[in-house]
Amino acid sequence: MNELQLKVLELLKEDARRDADLIATLLGAPAEEVKQAIAELEHNHIIVKYATIVNWSKVDDEKVTALIEVQITPERGRGFEGIAERIYLYPEVKSVYLMSGAYDLLVEIEGKNLKEVASFVSNKLSPIDAVLSTKTNFILKKYKQDGIIFEEHEGDDRLMISP
Amino acid sequence: MIKEEEELVRTKVKRQAMTDYLTPSVQNIKPSGIRRFFDLVNTRKDVITLGVGEPDFITPWHVREAAVYSLERGKTQYTSNAGLPALREAIGQYLNDQFQTPYDPANEILVTVGGSEAIDLALRALIVPGDEILIPEPCYISYSPITALGGGVPVGIETFAKDKFKLTAESLEAVITPRSKVLILCYPSNPTGGIMTYEDWLPIAKVVEDNDLIVISDEIYAELTYGTKHCSFSAMPGMRDRTILVSGFSKAFAMTGWRLGYACGHPDLIAAMLKIHQYTVMCAPAMAQYAGVEALTRGLEEKDRMVDAYNQRRRLVVKGFRDIGLECHEPEGAFYAFPSVKATGLTSEKFAERLLEEGGVAAVPGDVFGLGGEGHLRCSYATSVSNLAEALDRIGGFVHKLRQG
């Protein structure tokens, strides 16, 4: 990855809606080079997707999110890979991480309500042969996600005009 | 004593109004043009402001924490008048590392309540009433009034966009008289964003030497340069002892509200300034000084990140004005663009007022910054990219409407 690509990534991480022309202006780089850089980042799957961070607690059809600690028995030859794949293919599963520490996988589940999440854990996750145990933690409130603070930002306190 | 005051004392005229008690020097100072425009802006809502002369970043957390920690440890007493020894050490080290301007923390550095106090102290230590103080303009709005308050006579030196608002030896020489004593410099410049390089300074240094001037060099924006590293006037050959270097933490470390600055110079000058300082403010606030140590010793990475962001916005703003069709010299320092609005046929003030009324954007009319400012607008890009983009959009719409007649 070159320096331009890195700077492009930083600017897109701040705001994914910035177009190549704006980024080129901000960086003082030719627009063509920036377009090329973005295309390469997308092609190489470094930019995986342009997503929106939503504060669901402000939306009426609130969602329930749970972080489930899963202990599993690794498979001969494939370790955790096969079992992780079986889990991450479920559409309810938002993210799966292999962890060090007291458990093996951390699985993020999103559901309409508690019942839906509970049903996923008991009917789909726990019955998998390799799964030894699960521990479900519900997220009660999100304060910050991906570096973005969910609290309403305080306004700009600076004087409108100053020396 | 000024003549009018002498007259008053002699004649013992009974004062009619409270303002009659005021000194003529205070009475004669006009309200700042910025303040006038500020009042106008405050009457409006939904304004995007490019009028703010301070960073939009919050002081980095570790710096704030250092101040909090100093309070937790009960560091709430006066510090030494000249400032915490640790802070003076840090300032000396920092100036030497960054700008190759070595000063002895023991007797050549004075910690002040913002750079403003340092300039005031320097002028009060130097001015004998009637002395002429030379000030390249457009410039920071305080230099002339504090000169006048000290009994000095401010003498403006016009600088021009065609010279990138640099001071030239010829224009400096042209205003020098036997009463000229002090030259106040501010590069990188508020409001123009102009800078001076080593080569630019050389002929100026010669004029300073030949005419026996003292220089107050306000280098508060020293860290905010883009492409060219700041060259301190005090680093010029022979200029160190003639220069009082003034700087502070407000701009580079986003610490405007902390009111922390410093002055560096010849021990005799610093000692004189220290006398005034200790009898007026005693010392800068202790918690701010502890924060200052943290900023200088561990804050460089954050500072660089902020400078990088300003640089991005600078490109956006300059391109934006040029796309709109307003001439804009490329500012190489500080965080201001100073585009010309002369092509619209409006004065700075009229343009700024109408832009506020009809476009919902606040920017400071250039004439408030003195000679050479008329016909320009000071636009601070210390605000977010999205704000800048929206402001440029609105300015573009407004200018387009003006052109349609």
Side-chain angles (χ1 to χ4, degrees):
Chain A
M1 166 135 16
N2 58 39
E3 199 185 335
L4 177 68
Q5 288 179 327
L6 204 58
K7 289 203 175 287
V8 167
L9 278 184
E10 281 167 9
L11 287 174
L12 282 174
K13 190 77 184 82
E14 276 175 24
D15 184 350
R17 288 180 306 174
R18 288 173 176 167
D19 64 22
D21 286 334
L22 175 62
I23 292 172
T25 304
L26 292 174
L27 297 179
E32 279 314 309
E33 282 182 26
V34 171
K35 281 178 189 152
Q36 176 70 23
I38 293 174
E40 278 172 24
L41 288 165
E42 289 171 353
H43 179 258
N44 295 334
H45 224 57
I46 293 170
I47 293 177
V48 184
K49 190 176 182 176
Y50 298 94
T52 305
I53 295 175
V54 179
N55 186 358
W56 287 107
S57 68
K58 291 202 153 192
V59 180
D60 283 345
D61 61 337
E62 212 169 301
K63 294 173 192 299
V64 173
T65 309
L67 294 174
I68 303 166
E69 301 166 10
V70 186
Q71 278 189 312
I72 54 181
T73 312
E75 290 174 304
R76 184 178 296 278
R78 294 188 72 195
F80 296 101
E81 302 300 310
I83 214 74
E85 183 181 327
R86 273 197 69 183
I87 294 173
Y88 70 58
L89 284 175
Y90 285 110
E92 299 92 327
V93 173
K94 294 297 156 200
S95 52
V96 176
Y97 308 103
L98 180 62
M99 308 292 288
S100 68
Y103 53 94
D104 305 304
L105 295 180
L106 183 66
V107 178
E108 186 183 355
I109 307 285
E110 202 170 79
K112 286 198 190 85
N113 47 43
L114 288 181
K115 205 171 143 190
E116 196 174 280
V117 174
S119 145
F120 174 81
V121 175
S122 56
N123 296 333
K124 293 179 179 164
L125 193 57
S126 295
I128 297 172
D129 279 347
V131 170
L132 298 173
S133 73
T134 64
K135 189 168 153 190
T136 305
N137 308 282
F138 286 101
I139 291 177
L140 302 180
K141 182 175 178 181
K142 278 189 189 174
Y143 294 99
K144 189 175 183 181
Q145 183 182 331
D146 287 351
I148 309 294
I149 294 169
F150 277 13
E151 292 275 306
E152 297 278 345
H153 280 293
E154 284 178 31
D156 189 345
D157 286 338
R158 298 177 302 163
L159 302 173
M160 292 287 273
I161 300 281
S162 65
Chain B
M1 201 180 290
I2 294 175
K3 210 173 165 195
E4 291 150 84
E5 282 172 308
E6 282 175 0
E7 194 68 23
L8 192 67
V9 172
R10 254 201 314 274
T11 54
K12 299 257 183 204
V13 175
K14 185 149 173 64
R15 298 172 180 93
Q16 302 295 313
M18 197 50 84
T19 48
D20 291 342
Y21 287 88
L22 300 175
T23 66
S25 51
V26 166
Q27 290 199 49
N28 290 340
I29 288 177
K30 291 185 210 124
S32 131
I34 280 199
R35 177 57 46 188
R36 190 163 38 84
F37 198 68
F38 175 83
D39 293 338
L40 192 65
V41 172
N42 271 0
T43 61
R44 293 260 324 192
K45 284 205 171 91
D46 298 329
V47 171
I48 294 189
T49 180
L50 305 181
V52 188
E54 64 177 317
D56 58 323
F57 298 104
I58 309 288
T59 309
W61 169 242
H62 67 103
V63 176
R64 286 183 272 159
E65 200 184 26
V68 172
Y69 186 51
S70 79
L71 293 175
E72 283 178 356
R73 285 181 300 154
K75 302 287 187 188
T76 55
Q77 297 83 5
Y78 294 130
T79 70
S80 62
N81 296 125
L84 283 173
L87 178 55
R88 281 181 280 145
E89 284 283 345
I91 291 168
Q93 188 71 47
Y94 175 80
L95 287 178
N96 194 30
D97 291 350
Q98 298 291 315
F99 308 114
Q100 292 71 55
T101 45
Y103 286 99
D104 181 359
N107 56 12
E108 294 184 326
I109 297 176
L110 170 64
V111 176
T112 57
V113 179
S116 311
E117 192 215 346
I119 294 163
D120 185 40
L121 293 177
L123 286 171
R124 285 211 269 162
L126 291 168
I127 291 174
V128 174
D131 282 345
E132 288 177 352
I133 311 302
L134 316 178
I135 308 169
E137 294 179 351
C139 71
Y140 175 53
I141 54 167
S142 295
Y143 301 144
S144 280
I146 49 174
T147 295
L149 277 173
V153 180
V155 177
I157 311 168
E158 186 167 354
T159 63
F160 303 92
K162 67 176 170 57
D163 304 325
K164 297 177 166 183
F165 295 102
K166 290 174 192 284
L167 174 65
T168 63
E170 297 72 42
S171 55
L172 172 59
E173 259 176 331
V175 299
I176 287 178
T177 73
R179 307 189 80 168
S180 305
K181 187 174 195 179
V182 177
L183 170 64
I184 304 182
L185 298 169
C186 177
Y187 291 97
S189 159
N190 171 10
T192 68
I195 63 161
M196 294 284 280
T197 63
Y198 186 90
E199 288 70 30
D200 297 327
W201 281 138
L202 271 177
I204 306 292
K206 182 161 185 334
V207 179
V208 166
E209 177 99 61
D210 291 349
N211 293 280
D212 207 19
L213 301 176
I214 285 283
V215 170
I216 299 173
S217 182
D218 180 353
E219 301 182 17
I220 191 78
Y221 293 99
E223 289 85 351
L224 309 185
T225 58
Y226 313 103
T228 310
K229 198 162 164 49
H230 171 68
C231 176
S232 172
F233 188 74
S234 74
M236 298 305 293
M239 289 301 108
R240 189 176 177 279
D241 284 350
R242 288 193 174 276
T243 305
I244 300 173
L245 188 163
V246 170
S247 194
F249 295 75
S250 290
K251 313 298 180 177
F253 297 99
M255 293 175 69
T256 50
W258 300 76
R259 306 317 302 127
L260 190 64
Y262 50 88
C264 309
H266 189 281
D268 293 347
L269 295 176
I270 293 298
M273 290 165 65
L274 177 59
K275 278 192 213 171
I276 311 170
H277 174 76
Q278 73 188 16
Y279 292 129
T280 49
V281 303
M282 192 77 80
C283 66
M287 66 287 270
Q289 294 193 51
Y290 286 103
V293 174
E294 176 70 17
L296 290 182
T297 50
R298 282 176 285 274
L300 300 194
E301 207 175 301
E302 286 281 293
K303 181 207 72 176
D304 291 344
R305 191 179 59 78
M306 293 189 272
V307 174
D308 214 30
Y310 291 135
N311 195 9
Q312 291 176 0
R313 300 162 182 191
R314 179 183 72 108
R315 295 189 186 107
L316 176 66
V317 167
V318 172
K319 180 175 184 293
F321 280 118
R322 289 178 179 169
D323 286 351
I324 290 166
L326 297 179
E327 263 179 48
C328 185
H329 89 105
E330 182 153 350
E332 293 174 84
F335 40 55
Y336 308 103
F338 204 57
S340 167
V341 296
K342 288 174 187 165
T344 64
L346 297 179
T347 62
S348 297
E349 191 177 10
K350 202 74 212 155
F351 185 95
E353 274 179 26
R354 285 189 57 186
L355 176 62
L356 179 66
E357 287 298 322
E358 299 166 38
V361 176
V364 186
D367 62 311
V368 309
F369 301 100
L371 297 174
E374 175 49 46
H376 293 268
L377 209 57
R378 190 194 73 173
C379 299
S380 159
Y381 48 84
T383 187
S384 69
V385 169
S386 54
N387 267 353
L388 289 172
E390 172 68 23
L392 287 166
D393 224 35
R394 293 187 188 187
I395 296 170
F398 171 67
V399 170
H400 182 70
K401 207 176 70 184
L402 282 180
R403 290 204 180 106
Q404 303 289 313

